Amino acid sequence: MAEEQRIWRLHSRQYLGEISALCFLHLPPHLSSLPYLLAGSGSQVLLYDLKAGKMIQSFHVFDGIRVHGIACSLVDCREGSSSTTTVSYKIVVYGEKRVKIFNLRFELEAGPQTQQAVGVDLSLVHTLPRFSHWVLDVLFLEIKSYGSDLGECRQCLAVGCSNNAVCLFDLSSFSVILEIQSPDRCLLYSMRLWGNNLKTLRIASGTIYNEIIVWKVTSQTSLTEDHMRSSSLYSNSAGNQSLQYNAVHICTLSGHEGSIFRIMWSSDGSKLVSTSDDRSARIWTTYEEQYDSVSGNKVIGPVLFGHNARVWDCCISNSLIVTAGEDCTCRVWGLDGKQIQVIKEHIGRGIWRCLYDPNSSLLVTAGFDSAIKIHQLHASVSGMHKKHDGATDRFDGEGICTTCIPNSSEHVGLMDSKSEYVRCLRFKCEDTLYIATNHGYLYHARLSETGNVKWTELVRVSGEVPVICMDLLSKDPSEYSCGINDWIALGDGKGSMTIVGVNSDISSPEVSFTFTWTAGNERQLLGTYWCKSLGCRYVFTTDPRGLLKLWRLCDASFSACDDSGRTQNATLIAEFLSCYGTRIMCLDASLEEEVLVCGDLRGNLVLFALSKGLLLSMSAASTVKTSPLNYFKVAHGISSVSSISVFRLNCNQVEIRSTGADGCICYFEYGKDRKTFEFIGMKQVKELSSIQSVSTDDLANCNYAAGFSSTDFIIWNLITEAKVLRVPCGGWRRPHSYYLGDVPETKNCFAYVKDDIIHIHRNWILESEKEIFPQNLHLQFHGREMHALLFVYEDVLDQRNCNGGLLDKSSWIATGCEDGTVRLTRFIPGVENWLTSKLLGEHVGGSAVRSMCFVSKAHKISSDGHSLSGWRKEQSIVVNNHENPCLLISVGAKRVLTSWLLRSRSDEKEEKDFQECENGGKDQKSSVGLCPSMSFQWLSSDMPTKSSGTNRRNKIKGLPTSDVTSSNNDTKSKSVFPEKEEAGSKTCLGNKHEDDWRYLAVTAFLVKHEGSRLYVCFVVVACSDATVALRALVLPHRLWFDIAVLVPTSSPVLSLQHVVIPMHLPSEDKTKIGSMYIVISGATDGSIAFWDITKSVEAFFQWTSILHAEKFIDCQKRPRTGRGSQGGRQWKSLNRIVSEKGFGGNSATKKAGDEDDSKLLHATCGISTKLLDQESSMTDCPQAANGALIGMENINSSPEICEVRPIHVMKNVHQSGVNCLHVSEMDCQSSGYDFLFNVVSGGDDQALHCLRFCLSLLSRDLDSQIWYPERTKSTIETENTQKFTHYSQNQTHSYQIVFFNHHRITSAHSSAVKGIWTDGTWVFSTGLDQRIRCWCFEEHGQLTEHAHLIISVPEPEALDARACSRNHYQIAVAGRGMQMVEFSTT
């Protein structure tokens, strides 16, 4: 009875999606100089404190209606006790045909520097009646109360609707006091109201005819009451007078060639700005006396061209105009129509809203990607109409100065070969530069607060030859030795190295020592590098051929102190020769991990061993020549590697981060035990074409990226996705240097050389003096619609969480988007906002992600495919999760299939923090941020090559043919997967239309090969050409194989699910004899089919038992997405090899001791010459999905893909497509069957369908070879039962499947059902009606609805749920945004 009395409820949580409305809350000037911000997102209103840069609170204002606009009016401001101030506002929120009026009241408490909100309350005052047309704008007005001798005014609300009418409401009684229709009756796309009262009220209406109608409301005295009654207009009696209001046309503004999306009035009503579908904005002057209201003259205003897509929003101030468009740019214009500034920091479908506050110069932009960006425009932008060409984006307090080297004044006129110019420059700190010239001089330049530069000549290299390279090592004050704090290494054109020790912390810098030695041949010394981890005793030099030399310097600081005059020298202790013979551009080393990593000019990474004994040994032994320990080819494509950082992950793993001229930040992992060098992941900074370095607190979390975009130097905030600084400088080829402080928004320096002038941009402001802008107030998310969503979790992480806290209820959600991106987002109950969202990667070519699945369990199988003696039913058949790889698989357009591997381990610092959390050393609030960061590494991507035909993948011969029949190899179909013969012509996939097909659904399971490290992930994918294929990903070799095709499928499959069923002999010990693998599919014709793929899986494992993994070369090491490193000339050359030789390629790694390059056809393809000889003798050689040939003598040369027939098809389950499908296992103890499953589905017919199927093993009399069922009677059979028996031809096992309890809810939703989930007890569904409905399984499998909720996600596409506890569920819905809903008992 207690269970029946429970009340289950749905609780709506935060929506993460597009921002559709913005409004400033201006505080009284004595309280704050910055306003608060209200933002509408979905059905919620978010309140932000711009001073603190954080969200204060969110409020749910509508049910399923998106907030379109917000208006506010200050009501009261009262000083309270204890330094508190109470501020009240009247807030109007409108969306679609609804308008609600609220009171917003919050208390401000005086803080150290500003007022802080300590209490916020939003209370509903009134809901206006539903309008017959959409509401486009609202405006507060003051109207004089007629008949009042004192002339009192009352506050009213004007509401403009899409039928070009305005309604006026009295806010004291909420009654309609005026309703007036424009004389030009037409439908509108936009409307904007302006004025303080009825007399000054002006209405600008953007019509569907691409025109703007400007009109006003006027009054006239009516003498007779009969005339007042006969008028259709509103009349208000006051004594003997009555006022009649009518609409007066002012003018019609024509010129736009598209729909008018937004109109904004200037503060004085003299101008208005309009934006349109024609990608332009226009400025109009609206002085009323200029127009003839009768003739309706058409006026054409200035045009603002610059956007390359539709312009959604605009705002205007006294000095500038701001527009925001679909091209994700926000553009600032002068009133003369000249473009001043372009801001591009959003992604996706565009910027919906922009808002500008002239008092604080704050510009707010928000759009589809959920981000709210705050910028502070410089006074030169916000206070003047125009800006000189070539001006720089600057902050308040930034200093810009120019200077020249001292000797440049001696030369007059154009520069020639004898002129002195800058070759290298380096920032030491914000006010100190070191400059080296072509005449061999080294200068010290100190910048003053006034912009003056004090020059000091330090040294001149011997021979007066030009300085080719320079590097600077600055020590911390605690590391100073004998006053030496700067170590400068200079390499000149004669091949000599010069080390200079400088004491620069005094008013006049002094040279403590200098010494020179020959480090290479003339014109062969191209680079010199310090390594901070090795200190000042070691320096590296490089030459053009990839030779890296390590020099040990004598104790120069000691010698300089004793002033004994001893000759300083350097000893060559090691040479490192790159296997690529290309110049080394950057390096980093870890003395503790004894590893050295180098990056070269062609994007390759080379890893060397760097032993402590080599560094610490003082013996004068011969130079040690070191070969590469491992390497990674084309890590950044053909683009140069610009920086490398090495980070200790744990005792056996080292993580490496590299940046390059391809605009990518790449992460790699080096395993010391197995000597593996693997690609982990990468981040593309699309705003930068070349990344020079990243600024970060640790290696895993990058905060800022500095680099170039075309000719501009840019500092980019990787957390807020905002531009910090932009300086036009001519590009990266000119000598340049930069220095970033702890807060780069307010502390940054950049210097570059143009001609003979050094331009220095310095912005160094204390944090207490200025707020940090730009800011990102709201989490940036996908910029387009999402089609796939699922919870990602692992038992290992759950067990480590602090019991009873927030951590055990936190969730990670993976989402796939229309733009091809896959993100991982974290939700924590009780936290006001979503915690974090990070980009995992992007599909090749940005192809849309249509479906995803997560594989967290691995099932064991023996080498012969089925017999596993000694296994018990009571024992888990799942591999230990600590060793089990967890995979995330996504599929989508262009038949792209991408897999990621879960990296569940955390570094040693996180382990220590977790121990403190568990021991109570840290509070619960701080421990939320210490949860081990769940992250994935890219594993493999697969897609058909454009030049390939039908035989471009691995194909396996010899699979069984009971219900698996062999397909014809000579078929003329060009599809990747063989199709049934009768429909081959309809679904033929030719090269011409190759990209038209897309994957629609995916499901996968993982199987462990007993006795080996081999894992196989079996992936079932459904394609839009009505094919369903079984594929295999062999791990750890990352090789793809086509195994079977599921036929016949007359219609495309929209949803897939699978079940893995362990099979045991009917004896007491329950010996396991294998597993059954059943796939369930739902198609567009409304049918649900069941497929047994067990024989194909077992046959593949029999084939892998003779697979020689060493014959494969792991050639797919890096995703081919993005630009430069993934789509440059290197990849094009590989594609030519694909078409000519019949195989493709990608980047490759190679361990030391493997075959040299002479024995490989191409390093990136990894094909041995010996294997190519075998290929020539084969008719159709099996080949790897990405190009690695298989050299196996035991495999026949004629591989085949097999066909699997369905074991049962249920037709007409839905009247149209089966959009979603989910299956769950139930307790079968009382059923009389071995296994019991629930299958629920939802379709376009708005219906839900549920059924149950049972499976029981049939035993066999070994003497008579007769099969008989173990149980002859079921305790749950009903009249609605379909029963049949399926037998296998190999006679290893047979089973019986019973389908029963078919239940259908015809109108479960009022629109198409898009997502469904069940755990056998509850069913959660969602549809295009924006509802989540919760159903409970009753007796005989019937569904009863218990609760429903209207969600904020428009057009839901996917649903997933997670059982947090017995009485608590988390439900996530994705579409145009994402929302979390919790379902629990009260």
Side-chain angles (χ1 to χ4, degrees):
M1 293 297 295
E3 184 72 24
E4 296 178 357
Q5 293 176 357
R6 286 178 179 164
I7 301 176
W8 291 83
R9 301 197 179 195
L10 287 165
H11 306 278
S12 177
R13 299 305 180 208
Q14 191 74 20
Y15 167 75
L16 183 60
E18 56 190 295
I19 306 295
S20 55
L22 294 173
C23 178
F24 280 128
L25 280 178
H26 290 280
L27 296 174
H30 67 281
L31 294 179
S32 176
S33 60
L34 296 181
Y36 280 66
L37 179 68
L38 287 174
S41 178
S43 302
Q44 299 172 329
V45 171
L46 315 176
L47 177 62
Y48 290 93
D49 183 354
L50 298 185
K51 191 83 172 179
K54 65 179 181 180
M55 185 175 71
I56 300 175
Q57 197 169 340
S58 63
F59 308 96
H60 190 86
V61 294
F62 287 125
D63 290 330
I65 298 176
R66 186 177 60 171
V67 176
H68 287 167
I70 306 171
C72 67
S73 175
L74 179 63
V75 176
D76 189 19
C77 179
R78 296 181 180 180
E79 299 288 342
S81 60
S82 303
S83 302
T84 60
T85 303
T86 302
V87 184
S88 299
Y89 292 89
K90 189 160 289 184
I91 307 294
V92 178
V93 183
Y94 61 92
E96 297 185 6
K97 301 178 181 180
R98 293 287 187 182
V99 177
K100 288 188 176 183
I101 304 171
F102 298 86
N103 274 338
L104 177 62
R105 176 180 175 273
F106 55 93
E107 295 182 357
L108 297 176
E109 187 178 68
Q113 299 178 358
T114 182
Q115 299 283 336
Q116 298 178 353
V118 294
V120 180
D121 177 63
L122 184 73
S123 58
L124 178 64
V125 176
H126 188 75
T127 301
L128 297 183
R130 179 186 174 92
F131 291 84
S132 58
H133 294 80
W134 279 45
V135 177
L136 299 180
D137 193 23
V138 298
L139 180 67
F140 289 99
L141 296 176
E142 297 289 337
I143 297 183
K144 184 178 179 180
S145 299
Y146 291 98
S148 173
D149 297 335
L150 299 177
E152 297 179 355
C153 294
R154 51 181 173 173
Q155 193 176 41
C156 300
L157 181 69
V159 180
C161 298
S162 60
N163 62 340
N164 210 6
V166 175
C167 297
L168 199 64
F169 290 85
D170 188 346
L171 290 182
S172 59
S173 61
F174 303 105
S175 59
V176 179
I177 59 176
L178 176 64
E179 183 175 356
I180 189 168
Q181 177 79 46
S182 170
D184 298 304
R185 301 196 175 198
C186 61
L187 294 178
L188 308 179
Y189 277 120
S190 58
M191 175 185 281
R192 182 62 58 185
L193 308 177
W194 177 87
N196 297 321
N197 49 54
L198 272 179
K199 185 177 180 180
T200 60
L201 178 63
R202 299 293 181 268
I203 303 100
S205 306
T207 71
I208 61 175
Y209 303 112
N210 308 335
E211 296 177 337
I212 300 175
I213 299 174
V214 183
W215 55 287
K216 64 180 180 178
V217 179
T218 60
S219 62
Q220 59 184 10
T221 304
S222 178
L223 299 178
T224 63
E225 192 174 295
D226 293 338
H227 179 77
M228 180 185 65
R229 291 195 186 101
S230 62
S231 175
S232 61
L233 302 179
Y234 171 77
S235 298
N236 185 10
S237 298
N240 295 327
Q241 284 189 336
S242 61
L243 292 179
Q244 180 176 314
Y245 295 92
N246 54 9
V248 177
H249 177 87
I250 297 178
C251 64
T252 300
L253 308 177
S254 301
H256 280 295
E257 298 179 359
S259 304
I260 298 170
F261 293 134
R262 196 76 165 175
I263 303 172
M264 293 296 294
W265 288 92
S266 62
S267 58
D268 59 359
S270 62
K271 293 182 177 65
L272 60 84
V273 181
S274 60
T275 64
S276 172
D277 192 19
D278 61 3
R279 301 182 293 178
S280 72
R282 292 176 182 263
I283 308 172
W284 314 86
T285 302
T286 59
Y287 290 114
E288 191 171 330
E289 56 270 14
Q290 293 182 0
Y291 307 109
D292 184 358
S293 61
V294 178
S295 61
N297 295 328
K298 297 181 179 180
V299 180
I300 299 177
V303 183
L304 309 180
F305 277 120
H307 289 275
N308 53 27
R310 291 177 287 186
V311 186
W312 292 122
D313 198 12
C314 62
C315 54
I316 181 174
S317 71
N318 295 330
S319 59
L320 55 82
I321 295 169
V322 181
T323 59
E326 193 177 23
D327 58 356
C328 295
T329 64
C330 180
R331 299 174 186 263
V332 182
W333 314 77
L335 295 181
D336 56 357
K338 184 177 181 180
Q339 182 172 295
I340 300 175
Q341 186 176 357
V342 179
I343 300 173
K344 186 176 182 180
E345 296 176 1
H346 290 267
I347 60 175
R349 294 206 177 275
I351 303 176
W352 289 155
R353 293 291 176 258
C354 63
L355 195 62
Y356 178 68
D357 178 33
N359 297 327
S360 59
S361 299
L362 290 184
L363 173 62
V364 184
T365 60
F368 199 101
D369 60 356
S370 181
I372 302 176
K373 303 291 182 72
I374 310 294
H375 302 266
Q376 188 168 40
L377 300 183
H378 190 261
S380 61
V381 176
S382 59
M384 58 188 295
H385 295 274
K386 61 182 180 178
K387 184 179 179 181
H388 63 279
D389 295 337
T392 307
D393 294 350
R394 305 190 304 175
F395 300 95
D396 292 334
E398 179 185 6
I400 301 178
C401 66
T402 59
T403 185
C404 298
I405 54 178
N407 296 334
S408 63
S409 60
E410 300 176 359
H411 181 80
V412 180
L414 298 176
M415 298 181 63
D416 53 27
S417 59
K418 296 182 180 180
S419 302
E420 185 177 14
Y421 55 87
V422 177
R423 290 298 302 262
C424 309
L425 70 161
R426 294 288 185 274
F427 267 107
K428 174 202 185 304
C429 57
E430 70 274 10
D431 61 352
T432 304
L433 269 170
Y434 287 98
I435 296 105
T437 70
N438 64 318
H439 285 182
Y441 287 101
L442 175 65
Y443 294 98
H444 177 279
R446 190 181 299 276
L447 310 179
S448 66
E449 295 295 334
T450 59
N452 297 324
V453 181
K454 179 182 178 181
W455 289 88
T456 303
E457 180 183 327
L458 298 178
V459 295
R460 188 177 188 182
V461 299
S462 60
E464 302 179 1
V465 294
V467 174
I468 303 299
C469 53
M470 180 178 72
D471 199 14
L472 170 66
L473 178 64
S474 295
K475 288 190 171 184
D476 296 330
S478 59
E479 300 175 344
Y480 288 175
S481 177
C482 297
I484 304 174
N485 48 26
D486 292 338
W487 296 68
I488 301 99
L490 302 173
D492 59 37
K494 294 294 185 179
S496 298
M497 281 290 300
T498 301
I499 303 297
V500 183
V502 180
N503 180 10
S504 62
D505 283 352
I506 55 180
S507 58
S508 297
E510 297 178 354
V511 176
S512 299
F513 69 89
T514 176
F515 59 88
T516 303
W517 77 95
T518 301
N521 297 328
E522 184 177 355
R523 297 185 180 182
Q524 296 298 304
L525 180 58
L526 297 184
T528 178
Y529 307 99
W530 297 103
C531 186
K532 194 169 185 179
S533 61
L534 302 183
C536 59
R537 293 292 308 279
Y538 303 93
V539 67
F540 294 89
T541 60
T542 63
D543 69 359
R545 296 180 299 275
L547 178 63
L548 181 69
K549 297 180 180 180
L550 174 60
W551 304 84
R552 180 192 294 119
L553 309 181
C554 67
D555 196 347
S557 60
F558 176 80
S559 300
C561 293
D562 64 16
D563 197 18
S564 61
R566 296 192 317 174
T567 303
Q568 311 299 326
N569 54 20
T571 304
L572 179 63
I573 62 174
E575 290 183 350
F576 305 91
L577 181 60
S578 171
C579 53
Y580 297 108
T582 308
R583 174 188 169 188
I584 300 298
M585 300 298 296
C586 56
L587 57 85
D588 193 21
S590 173
L591 180 61
E592 183 180 6
E593 301 301 325
E594 299 184 319
V595 64
L596 169 67
V597 185
C598 306
D600 65 20
L601 187 63
R602 289 297 179 182
N604 307 306
L605 297 183
V606 184
L607 191 145
F608 297 93
L610 185 65
S611 64
K612 294 181 181 178
L614 174 67
L615 297 174
L616 301 179
S617 175
M618 300 303 295
S619 61
S622 60
T623 302
V624 177
K625 296 186 177 181
T626 305
S627 300
L629 189 63
N630 211 321
Y631 59 79
F632 200 105
K633 188 174 179 64
V634 292
H636 288 270
I638 60 172
S639 302
S640 173
V641 184
S642 55
S643 71
I644 290 178
S645 299
V646 179
F647 173 74
R648 173 186 170 91
L649 206 57
N650 53 46
C651 59
N652 291 320
Q653 291 176 313
V654 176
E655 190 161 313
I656 300 162
R657 181 193 65 215
S658 66
T659 64
D662 59 346
C664 293
I665 306 171
C666 296
Y667 297 88
F668 303 86
E669 187 176 277
Y670 173 65
K672 297 171 58 179
D673 50 353
R674 295 180 180 176
K675 308 298 181 183
T676 57
F677 194 16
E678 294 186 350
F679 175 87
I680 301 301
M682 74 175 181
K683 178 177 178 61
Q684 296 173 272
V685 185
K686 297 183 178 180
E687 291 74 14
L688 299 180
S689 58
S690 174
I691 300 179
Q692 298 296 302
S693 66
V694 292
S695 173
T696 176
D697 297 333
D698 55 66
L699 188 75
N701 300 311
C702 298
N703 297 334
Y704 298 89
F708 293 88
S709 176
S710 184
T711 59
D712 298 340
F713 173 76
I714 291 177
I715 300 175
W716 186 264
N717 190 321
L718 298 172
I719 305 300
T720 63
E721 296 293 337
K723 187 188 301 178
V724 175
L725 177 70
R726 181 183 67 88
V727 179
C729 62
W732 59 270
R733 294 184 182 275
R734 291 176 175 169
H736 64 274
S737 181
Y738 55 90
Y739 181 78
L740 304 182
D742 54 351
V743 183
E745 283 84 355
T746 58
K747 298 179 180 179
N748 57 76
C749 302
F750 177 70
Y752 68 96
V753 179
K754 183 177 182 181
D755 297 329
D756 59 341
I757 300 176
I758 303 174
H759 300 259
I760 303 173
H761 295 250
R762 186 172 59 158
N763 174 36
W764 208 265
I765 303 174
L766 297 179
E767 297 181 40
S768 58
E769 298 178 1
K770 180 184 175 183
E771 292 79 18
I772 299 175
F773 294 105
Q775 293 181 356
N776 187 10
L777 298 181
H778 202 250
L779 186 68
Q780 189 165 30
F781 199 47
H782 290 291
R784 293 179 179 269
E785 298 83 357
M786 287 167 283
H787 301 293
L789 170 144
L790 53 85
F791 281 94
V792 176
Y793 51 89
E794 190 193 22
D795 295 339
V796 176
L797 289 178
D798 293 340
Q799 293 171 3
R800 291 179 51 188
N801 289 337
C802 300
N803 296 328
L806 294 177
L807 297 180
D808 57 347
K809 298 180 182 179
S810 65
S811 303
W812 290 92
I813 303 170
T815 50
C817 182
E818 177 72 22
D819 60 4
T821 58
V822 178
R823 299 188 72 94
L824 194 63
T825 308
R826 187 179 177 196
F827 171 80
I828 295 183
V831 177
E832 186 67 26
N833 205 350
W834 291 81
L835 188 64
T836 182
S837 179
K838 54 186 176 181
L839 182 67
L840 290 187
E842 183 178 349
H843 272 208
V844 176
S847 57
V849 179
R850 307 297 303 185
S851 180
M852 293 169 33
C853 66
F854 181 61
V855 185
S856 60
K857 296 180 179 180
H859 307 270
K860 275 195 173 182
I861 193 170
S862 64
S863 58
D864 59 1
H866 54 272
S867 62
L868 286 175
S869 60
W871 282 75
R872 310 289 180 179
K873 187 173 183 178
E874 294 78 15
Q875 293 177 324
S876 173
I877 63 169
V878 179
V879 180
N880 189 345
N881 278 338
H882 292 273
E883 303 174 355
N884 169 38
C886 299
L887 304 181
L888 177 65
I889 297 175
S890 62
V891 299
K894 301 180 183 179
R895 292 181 294 167
V896 175
L897 193 157
T898 305
S899 58
W900 284 273
L901 176 66
L902 175 65
R903 303 172 66 211
S904 59
R905 86 286 178 272
S906 56
D907 58 32
E908 295 176 348
K909 180 179 182 299
E910 287 177 336
E911 296 283 352
K912 181 179 178 181
D913 291 337
F914 252 96
Q915 292 176 3
E916 293 182 7
C917 172
E918 294 174 353
N919 297 332
K922 292 183 180 288
D923 57 9
Q924 187 183 55
K925 183 177 180 180
S926 64
S927 67
V928 171
L930 296 176
C931 182
S933 177
M934 176 179 286
S935 62
F936 285 83
Q937 75 174 73
W938 173 87
L939 185 62
S940 178
S941 294
D942 182 72
M943 67 177 297
T945 58
K946 292 184 179 180
S947 59
S948 64
T950 58
N951 295 323
R952 289 294 180 219
R953 302 173 185 265
N954 292 341
K955 302 177 183 180
I956 312 307
K957 181 184 178 180
L959 300 188
T961 58
S962 56
D963 34 69
V964 183
T965 59
S966 175
S967 63
N968 185 5
N969 284 334
D970 298 328
T971 178
K972 296 181 180 180
S973 172
K974 295 184 179 181
S975 175
V976 171
F977 306 113
E979 302 153 5
K980 58 185 181 301
E981 185 176 353
E982 61 272 18
S985 60
K986 296 181 181 180
T987 59
C988 176
L989 180 56
N991 291 331
K992 181 179 179 180
H993 305 288
E994 186 173 6
D995 291 341
D996 291 342
W997 305 119
R998 59 188 182 274
Y999 287 143
L1000 300 177
V1002 63
T1003 188
F1005 55 90
L1006 192 65
V1007 181
K1008 173 73 166 60
H1009 199 289
E1010 188 186 26
S1012 71
R1013 294 177 55 244
L1014 195 65
Y1015 286 86
V1016 179
C1017 182
F1018 292 94
V1019 183
V1020 183
V1021 287
C1023 187
S1024 58
D1025 62 352
T1027 59
V1028 181
L1030 173 64
R1031 312 197 57 207
L1033 172 62
V1034 179
L1035 301 176
H1037 307 294
R1038 312 187 192 199
L1039 299 172
W1040 287 97
F1041 295 91
D1042 288 343
I1043 299 177
V1045 61
L1046 280 59
V1047 294
T1049 52
S1050 58
S1051 301
V1053 170
L1054 298 176
S1055 53
L1056 287 170
Q1057 289 284 302
H1058 77 276
V1059 292
V1060 179
I1061 306 170
M1063 305 299 293
H1064 305 83
L1065 291 177
S1067 58
E1068 293 183 359
D1069 59 356
K1070 296 292 183 183
T1071 302
K1072 183 178 182 298
I1073 62 172
S1075 296
M1076 285 185 56
Y1077 307 95
I1078 304 294
V1079 175
I1080 308 170
S1081 65
T1084 55
D1085 60 359
S1087 63
I1088 297 179
F1090 294 78
W1091 318 75
D1092 185 0
I1093 60 173
T1094 307
K1095 307 303 180 298
S1096 298
V1097 172
E1098 294 178 351
F1100 181 79
F1101 266 97
Q1102 292 178 7
W1103 181 82
T1104 57
S1105 63
I1106 57 175
L1107 176 67
H1108 299 283
E1110 64 275 7
K1111 298 293 184 178
F1112 290 89
I1113 297 180
D1114 190 1
C1115 58
Q1116 191 184 36
K1117 285 293 187 180
R1118 193 185 191 283
R1120 294 176 58 182
T1121 58
R1123 63 174 185 277
S1125 58
Q1126 299 84 22
R1129 296 190 298 270
Q1130 179 68 26
W1131 297 123
K1132 292 180 181 178
S1133 66
L1134 299 184
N1135 289 334
R1136 285 198 297 268
I1137 297 177
V1138 171
S1139 59
E1140 295 172 2
K1141 298 296 184 181
F1143 55 84
N1146 207 326
S1147 57
T1149 63
K1150 178 178 179 292
K1151 299 180 181 179
D1154 291 348
E1155 295 181 85
D1156 56 19
D1157 292 343
S1158 63
K1159 296 182 180 180
L1160 296 178
L1161 177 65
H1162 198 285
T1164 56
C1165 298
I1167 312 301
S1168 66
T1169 309
K1170 179 173 60 177
L1171 298 183
L1172 288 178
D1173 295 337
Q1174 293 182 2
E1175 181 199 21
S1176 60
S1177 62
M1178 295 180 181
T1179 305
D1180 189 10
C1181 178
Q1183 62 187 41
N1186 296 281
L1189 297 180
I1190 306 172
M1192 295 187 304
E1193 297 77 3
N1194 297 329
I1195 302 298
N1196 294 331
S1197 61
S1198 190
E1200 297 177 353
I1201 294 179
C1202 301
E1203 295 181 352
V1204 179
R1205 302 286 177 176
I1207 59 176
H1208 185 59
V1209 178
M1210 303 175 62
K1211 297 184 178 180
N1212 300 322
V1213 175
H1214 290 272
Q1215 297 178 6
S1216 55
V1218 182
N1219 293 327
C1220 48
L1221 192 70
H1222 200 261
V1223 59
S1224 65
E1225 186 175 2
M1226 299 180 61
D1227 184 11
C1228 57
Q1229 293 181 357
S1230 60
S1231 63
Y1233 286 88
D1234 291 333
F1235 301 96
L1236 178 63
F1237 297 92
N1238 266 332
V1239 180
V1240 293
S1241 60
D1244 281 331
D1245 57 356
Q1246 307 175 12
L1248 294 184
H1249 183 272
C1250 63
L1251 65 93
R1252 293 179 178 176
F1253 73 92
C1254 301
L1255 186 143
S1256 59
L1257 183 68
L1258 299 181
S1259 55
R1260 179 181 64 176
D1261 189 335
L1262 299 179
D1263 296 331
S1264 62
Q1265 299 293 322
I1266 298 176
W1267 296 82
Y1268 59 90
E1270 293 181 34
R1271 302 173 180 83
T1272 58
K1273 185 176 180 180
S1274 173
T1275 59
I1276 58 175
E1277 290 183 12
T1278 65
E1279 59 182 7
N1280 191 19
T1281 298
Q1282 301 178 10
K1283 180 176 179 180
F1284 72 96
T1285 303
H1286 177 74
Y1287 295 94
S1288 300
Q1289 291 187 0
N1290 58 9
Q1291 297 295 304
T1292 58
H1293 60 266
S1294 186
Y1295 54 87
Q1296 172 183 274
I1297 294 184
V1298 180
F1299 295 88
F1300 60 95
N1301 288 352
H1302 295 268
H1303 180 60
R1304 178 183 175 89
I1305 303 178
T1306 305
S1307 299
H1309 288 262
S1310 58
S1311 189
V1313 181
K1314 287 293 186 176
I1316 198 166
W1317 181 90
T1318 182
D1319 63 348
T1321 303
W1322 292 95
V1323 175
F1324 306 122
S1325 62
T1326 189
L1328 294 180
D1329 56 357
Q1330 286 188 238
R1331 265 75 172 171
I1332 289 181
R1333 301 187 181 273
C1334 303
W1335 316 79
C1336 183
F1337 277 108
E1338 306 292 346
E1339 190 177 1
H1340 302 306
Q1342 296 182 350
L1343 293 179
T1344 304
E1345 185 176 0
H1346 279 240
H1348 75 276
L1349 179 70
I1350 302 175
I1351 57 177
S1352 299
V1353 180
E1355 303 173 12
E1357 287 285 338
L1359 175 145
D1360 196 19
R1362 170 177 176 249
C1364 300
S1365 62
R1366 182 181 179 185
N1367 298 323
H1368 184 205
Y1369 293 85
Q1370 289 178 347
I1371 309 169
V1373 181
R1376 290 184 57 177
M1378 180 173 66
Q1379 186 175 6
M1380 181 71 76
V1381 175
E1382 293 187 278
F1383 182 61
S1384 59
T1385 182
T1386 57

